[in-house]
C-alpha cells in the first residue's frame, strides 16, 4: 500500500477514499483536506462515478479528528497558517454537504472532530460494533466545528448540545438513535458490502439504501435513550450555568457524570459552543461554517486552545489551566466578540 496520507481509486463506478494515517488514527492533515476537496470536485463532474465510499486504514479509527497538534506547534504567531487549514477544511466540508451523489462513510472505529466532518454531511453513515463517536472539542479549548454547529443542532431534542458540551463517547446504537448514523453493519461484512455496491446499478440514494439493507443488522438498544427525557430537560436551560445547575440537582449517576464532565471543559468553549448550536439551528450549512470560522479565528489568538492541546495531547497531564477558570466569568460581551464579523477576513464559500 502507498504511504500517501490519503488514497483514491475508482472501480465499477465507485470512487474510493482511504484515510491512510493509521498510526495517527487517520487524523486529517491540511494536504488531506485539500486533496479530498479536489477529488470531490472531480467526481461530482464525472458521470462515470455513481457513488463514493470513504473509510479509514487500520482497525482502530475511521478518523480521530484534525491534526490540531500541528496547529498548536505553530502557536498564535502562525494564526494565518492555522486559519488557512481551518478555512480550506470547512470548504471541503461544505463540498461534501452539497455533494449530489451517494456518499457512504464506513465508520469502523473512532470517529471524532474532523472525522465527523468527512462523514456526517454525506448521505450514508454506516457504523459497526467498533464505532466510538465523540465531539471532544470543548476539552481542548475549541468548538465542534467542521459543520458541527449545523449537524449537532439538528440532532433530536437536546442531544446535540449534550454531545457537544460533555464530550461523552457513544457506540453504534446511540449513533443511530441520534441520527448521526444511518445504518449498522458489522465490520466483518464491510468488504462484502463494498463489493455489492460495486456490483449494483446505482442511480440514486435509494439504490444504495437497498444494497445496505441486505447487510444491515440491529445494533441493539441505545443507552442514551434511557436518559433522553433528562437530557432534554437539563439541556433546555437558557444558559450554560442553567444546565450545570439543573444537572447538579439531579442525584442519579447519569446526571452527576454529565455534571462532572461539563465542569472540566474550557469555560470559554462551553459558552461559545452553546451559542454556536443555538445560532446554527437557524442558518444554512455555509452560513454555519462561516460562523464557526469567525469563532475559531479568535480562539487561535487566545489561551485555552493551546493550553487544552498541551494538557491532552502534549504533556498528557489532563490538567488544563483555563483562563478564565469558571463559567460565570465568561461574559456575554466576550462571547459576542468571538461571533463578530471578521470583515475582509471572512470565510468565502
Amino acid at each position: 500500500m502507498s504511504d500517501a496520507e490519503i488514497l483514491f481509486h475508482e472501480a465499477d463506478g465507485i470512487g474510493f477514499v482511504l484515510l491512510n494515517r493509521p498510526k495517527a488514527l487517520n487524523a486529517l492533515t491540511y494536504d488531506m483536506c485539500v486533496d479530498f476537496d479536489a477529488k470531490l470536485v472531480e467526481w461530482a463532474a464525472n458521470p462515470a462515478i455513481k457513488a463514493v465510499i470513504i473509510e479509514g486504514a487500520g482497525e482502530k479509527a475511521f478518523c480521530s479528528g484534525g491534526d490540531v497538534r500541528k496547529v498548536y506547534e505553530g502557536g498564535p504567531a502562525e494564526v494565518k497558517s492555522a486559519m488557512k487549514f481551518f478555512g480550506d477544511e470547512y470548504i471541503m466540508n461544505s463540498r461534501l454537504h452539497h455533494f449530489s451523489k451517494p456518499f457512504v462513510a464506513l465508520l469502523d472505529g473512532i470517529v471524532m472532530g474532523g472525522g465527523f466532518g468527512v462523514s456526517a454531511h454525506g448521505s450514508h453513515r454506516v457504523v459497526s460494533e467498533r464505532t466510538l463517536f465523540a465531539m471532544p472539542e470543548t476539552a481542548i479549548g475549541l468548538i465542534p466545528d467542521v459543520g458541527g454547529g449545523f449537524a449537532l443542532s439538528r440532532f433530536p431534542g437536546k442531544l446535540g448540545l449534550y454531545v457537544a458540551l460533555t464530550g461523552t463517547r457513544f457506540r453504534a446504537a446511540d449513533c443511530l438513535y441520534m441520527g448521526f448514523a444511518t445504518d449498522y453493519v458489522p465490520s466483518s461484512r464491510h468488504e462484502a458490502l463494498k463489493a455489492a455496491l460495486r456490483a449494483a446499478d446505482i442511480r440514486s440514494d435509494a439504490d444504495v439504501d437497498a444494497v445496505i439493507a441486505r447487510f444491515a443488522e440491529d445494533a441493539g438498544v441505545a443507552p442514551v435513550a434511557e436518559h433522553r427525557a433528562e437530557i432534554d430537560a437539563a439541556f433546555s436551560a437558557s444558559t450554560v450555568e442553567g444546565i450545570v445547575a439543573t444537572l447538579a440537582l439531579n442525584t442519579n449517576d447519569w446526571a452527576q457524570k454529565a455534571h462532572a464532565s461539563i465542569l472540566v471543559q474550557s469555560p470559554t468553549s462551553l459558552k461559545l459552543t452553546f451559542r454556536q448550536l443555538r445560532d446554527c439551528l437557524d442558518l444554512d450549512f455555509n452560513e454555519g461554517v462561516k460562523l464557526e470560522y469567525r469563532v475559531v479565528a479568535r480562539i487561535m489568538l487566545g489561551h485555552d486552545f493551546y493550553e487544552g492541546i498541551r494538557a491532552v495531547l502534549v504533556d498528557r497531564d489532563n490538567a488544563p489551566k483555563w483562563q478564565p477558570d469558571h463559567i460565570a466569568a465568561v461574559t456575554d460581551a466576550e462571547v459576542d466578540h468571538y461571533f463578530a464579523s471578521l470583515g475582509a477576513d471572512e470565510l468565502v464559500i
Side-chain angles (χ1 to χ4, degrees):
M1 182 184 294
S2 170
D3 58 1
E5 294 179 332
I6 186 168
L7 300 174
F8 307 100
H9 77 276
E10 301 169 10
D12 301 321
I14 305 291
F16 288 89
V17 184
L18 180 68
L19 307 176
N20 192 36
R21 301 183 69 213
K23 292 182 179 179
L25 301 179
N26 299 318
L28 298 173
T29 65
Y30 175 75
D31 288 343
M32 290 169 74
C33 293
V34 171
D35 290 349
F36 184 37
D37 185 58
K39 189 60 68 171
L40 287 173
V41 173
E42 176 188 328
W43 282 340
N46 184 353
I49 297 299
K50 305 301 184 182
V52 173
I53 298 175
I54 186 171
E55 57 190 324
E59 298 183 350
K60 293 183 178 180
F62 167 72
C63 176
S64 61
D67 193 358
V68 289
R69 182 160 181 164
K70 186 171 183 179
V71 177
Y72 163 86
E73 291 168 353
E78 297 295 328
V79 68
K80 288 188 176 180
S81 176
M83 293 316 299
K84 178 66 173 171
F85 179 1
F86 286 109
D88 285 344
E89 183 180 16
Y90 298 170
I91 290 170
M92 175 267 290
N93 298 143
S94 174
R95 188 99 54 201
L96 175 54
H97 175 77
H98 296 288
F99 195 65
S100 61
K101 301 178 182 182
F103 184 94
V104 182
L106 299 178
L107 305 175
D108 193 26
I110 296 168
V111 186
M112 297 182 183
F116 185 79
V118 293
S119 59
H121 313 311
S123 60
H124 297 78
R125 289 88 60 193
V126 180
V127 289
S128 76
E129 75 282 1
R130 296 194 294 212
T131 301
L132 181 65
F133 164 61
M135 295 297 278
E137 288 81 3
T138 55
I140 58 168
L142 198 56
I143 60 170
D145 56 340
V146 297
F150 179 91
L152 293 170
S153 66
R154 287 158 175 81
F155 277 16
K158 294 298 178 179
L159 288 172
L161 195 57
Y162 170 55
V163 169
L165 295 185
T166 66
T168 299
R169 298 182 175 192
F170 303 93
R171 294 289 184 177
D174 283 334
C175 292
L176 289 162
Y177 179 82
M178 294 186 291
F180 169 39
T182 56
D183 306 275
Y184 172 78
V185 177
S187 58
S188 62
R189 307 196 75 190
H190 284 190
E191 289 302 317
L193 171 60
K194 288 189 290 182
L197 288 167
R198 286 178 58 175
D201 180 17
I202 296 174
R203 300 176 184 273
S204 68
D205 287 349
D207 296 323
V208 174
D209 292 339
V211 174
I212 294 176
R214 290 159 40 197
F215 296 87
E217 297 182 11
D218 184 358
V221 176
V224 75
E226 178 184 351
H227 304 290
R228 174 64 187 279
E230 293 173 292
I231 291 169
D232 287 351
F235 287 81
S236 291
S238 60
T239 62
V240 176
E241 291 91 334
I243 293 171
V244 172
T246 302
L247 291 171
L249 292 174
N250 189 333
T251 59
N252 71 32
D253 289 344
W254 169 82
Q256 289 304 299
K257 183 177 180 180
H259 180 261
S261 295
I262 289 180
L263 291 183
V264 299
Q265 315 299 320
S266 158
T268 299
S269 289
L270 291 171
K271 287 287 187 80
L272 296 177
T273 298
F274 182 89
R275 167 82 172 267
Q276 172 199 6
L277 265 64
R278 186 196 72 186
D279 289 2
C280 282
L281 185 59
D282 296 322
L283 299 177
D284 66 21
F285 188 90
N286 284 2
E287 291 303 313
V289 292
K290 289 177 183 179
L291 176 149
E292 292 173 2
Y293 184 84
R294 294 173 189 165
V295 175
V296 171
R298 293 186 168 102
I299 286 175
M300 291 300 109
L301 294 172
H303 167 273
D304 278 10
F305 170 75
Y306 302 99
E307 175 62 7
I309 297 298
R310 179 206 65 76
V312 175
L313 298 178
V314 180
D315 297 338
R316 297 177 182 266
D317 58 21
N318 292 308
K321 295 178 173 56
W322 305 123
Q323 295 179 3
D325 62 1
H326 58 285
I327 296 167
V330 183
T331 68
D332 290 344
E334 289 171 324
V335 172
D336 289 343
H337 169 70
Y338 281 86
F339 286 82
S341 171
L342 296 171
D345 293 326
E346 288 277 278
L347 179 65
V348 177
I349 301 180

